[in-house]
Amino acid sequence: MHDPFGRRISYLRVSVTDRCDLRCVYCMAEDMTFLPKAELLTLEELDRLCGTFIGLGVERIRLTGGEPLVRKNVISLFRSLGARIGEGGLKELTVTTNGTQLTKMADDLFAAGVRRINVSLDTLDPAAFSAVTRWGKIDQTLDGIFAAKAAGLAVKINAVALKGVNEHEYDRMIAWCGEHGFDLTLIETMPMGEIGGDRTDQYLPLSLVRERIAENWTLVPSPHRTGGPARYFDIAETGRRLGLITPMTHNFCEACNRVRLTCTGTLYMCLGQSDAADLRAPLRDPSVGDEALRDAVRAAIARKPRGHDFVIGRDSRPAVARHMSVTGG
Ligand code: SAM
Ligand code: SF4
């Protein structure tokens, strides 16, 4: 499956819920209104739609959210998708999570076929963690991270770079990740959704962060690529990888291999654009068979734009009205 710019679409990110047990300041407002449950695709519908994408050549699926692991019985979706790994056409099933449910779920995720997970952890400081997540307790996430490691899952830590919040902690986080065998990716804030505050206060360019990190660590540029917005370095002192996701300062669109499905069956062809295709209507229409559903997906991919145009300016309105929790990043 190729888009009009010749990019092969092999990666699907699926937001399985817009709900979350945390309220990270850069992601959500404190009083979010979530979708009525009836609007959501059932887990069976999500499985069928994922199967359609796999049939069209998608090789990697990442479940995200909101917080994917708070959706009731979501493990059944992991199991049905995990069963498609290998002969079924899927090469990898992964998840991005805030870690709060991992002490309960890490073993089940591994048993379902998941081998790598991304866990969001913006700071190692308990007070700063509670301030950033508004409702979170760091021990719950740290316990989850170590449960994942014990279950055999490779862990990558994702941290959003936040001015005045975690900007003095990167050396400590690199050392901590090195000690425990985790890779680390730092993410620039993206202007998505109303959050009840001014984003220019939070924005910290990673070009600056990289210079500061390079004062204490040897960063060797890595050829590793995922078709996403991250650029990677090997940290010589720890042997772990550092990823920098810089949508605001680096144009990554030319190698984009991904599309994003929301929990209501809306397909976004670009994280930074509003154009979307509704796949729920054809999915629920009994007269639409598997081939017509594939056609609906192909027609959506044919609309994938060349790239995004995020800007964080003095105008405090978000560049994209929907929250990151809709498409899961
Ligand atoms: N709840 C899960 C988690 O936190 O990992 C999965 C969903 S969350 C929306 C996915 C990723 O997007 C997280 O790493 C989060 O830090 C990041 N994120 C959320 N809002 C963002 C924003 N406005 N700019 C940059 N990254 C953001
Ligand atoms: Fe929830 Fe993840 Fe958004 Fe934080 S970043 S509020 S954990 S969805």
Side-chain angles (χ1 to χ4, degrees):
M1 183 162 57
H2 289 82
D3 77 357
F5 303 97
R7 294 171 296 193
R8 180 161 169 250
I9 306 306
S10 58
Y11 184 23
L12 176 68
R13 298 175 75 116
V14 185
S15 176
V16 299
T17 175
D18 62 331
R19 289 166 196 253
C20 187
D21 53 342
L22 302 180
R23 290 289 182 278
C24 303
V25 291
Y26 48 78
C27 181
M28 294 192 184
E30 188 156 18
D31 56 338
M32 293 286 285
T33 310
F34 293 113
L35 293 162
K37 291 220 169 79
E39 297 252 327
L40 264 58
L41 297 189
T42 64
L43 295 174
E44 293 74 22
E45 286 172 325
L46 281 168
D47 182 54
R48 179 175 169 219
L49 211 41
C50 288
T52 304
F53 279 92
I54 295 167
L56 287 167
V58 161
E59 296 174 338
R60 291 167 61 216
I61 293 182
R62 175 177 296 278
L63 301 190
T64 172
E67 174 46 41
L69 301 186
V70 300
R71 177 147 182 187
K72 202 170 160 200
N73 201 25
V74 73
I75 197 69
S76 67
L77 179 62
F78 280 97
R79 288 191 187 118
S80 55
L81 292 176
R84 299 176 194 263
I85 297 173
E87 296 297 296
L90 191 63
K91 289 197 177 145
E92 192 181 44
L93 177 63
T94 56
V95 59
T96 299
T97 171
N98 63 26
T100 61
Q101 309 303 309
L102 282 173
T103 47
K104 280 184 290 182
M105 295 182 68
D107 287 330
D108 288 341
L109 289 171
F110 189 90
V114 177
R115 293 295 176 266
R116 294 193 302 136
I117 63 169
N118 291 355
V119 186
S120 299
L121 177 69
D122 297 327
T123 167
L124 288 167
D125 178 82
F129 182 89
S130 293
V132 170
T133 58
R134 290 198 184 99
W135 299 352
K137 301 259 184 302
I138 198 168
D139 285 345
Q140 196 180 347
T141 290
L142 292 179
D143 290 350
I145 289 170
F146 290 114
K149 183 179 173 184
L153 296 164
V155 176
K156 181 163 77 70
I157 301 294
N158 278 347
V160 176
L162 295 164
K163 198 179 352 177
V165 176
N166 61 9
E167 65 180 308
H168 301 297
E169 265 195 87
Y170 306 132
D171 286 338
R172 181 177 171 208
M173 291 181 81
I174 287 171
W176 182 82
C177 286
E179 184 187 331
H180 297 293
F182 307 143
D183 289 335
L184 173 67
T185 290
L186 300 177
I187 310 172
E188 269 176 5
T189 51
M190 294 174 232
M192 297 188 67
E194 291 292 346
I195 51 169
D198 183 355
R199 280 180 203 278
T200 45
D201 289 351
Q202 303 176 345
Y203 179 61
L204 178 64
L206 287 190
S207 47
L208 192 73
V209 171
R210 182 183 151 184
E211 278 171 27
R212 286 194 208 154
I213 290 175
E215 287 170 15
N216 295 317
W217 306 91
T218 313
L219 300 182
V220 183
S222 158
H224 182 73
R225 293 279 182 279
T226 60
R231 291 294 171 264
Y232 295 93
F233 299 86
D234 293 318
I235 306 172
E237 290 81 358
T238 66
R240 304 308 313 181
R241 199 178 277 153
L242 176 71
L244 300 180
I245 302 192
T246 56
M248 314 296 297
T249 52
H250 189 100
N251 193 337
F252 55 88
C253 304
E254 69 280 357
C256 184
N257 61 356
R258 58 199 59 195
V259 288
R260 296 173 164 82
L261 182 69
T262 74
C263 56
T264 57
T266 302
L267 188 73
Y268 285 95
M269 285 69 82
C270 174
L271 182 63
Q273 301 280 2
S274 304
D275 186 35
D278 173 32
L279 297 176
R280 186 176 57 183
L283 186 67
R284 290 192 171 166
D285 182 343
S287 70
V288 173
D290 288 345
E291 187 51 39
L293 191 57
R294 276 196 286 275
D295 284 344
V297 172
R298 284 193 198 101
I301 300 298
R303 276 167 34 203
K304 187 169 161 68
R306 186 186 285 272
H308 71 72
D309 32 42
F310 283 130
V311 185
I312 290 184
R314 246 174 280 165
D315 178 356
S316 68
R317 276 177 312 150
V320 177
R322 65 181 189 274
H323 287 92
M324 187 70 101
S325 48
V326 173
T327 42

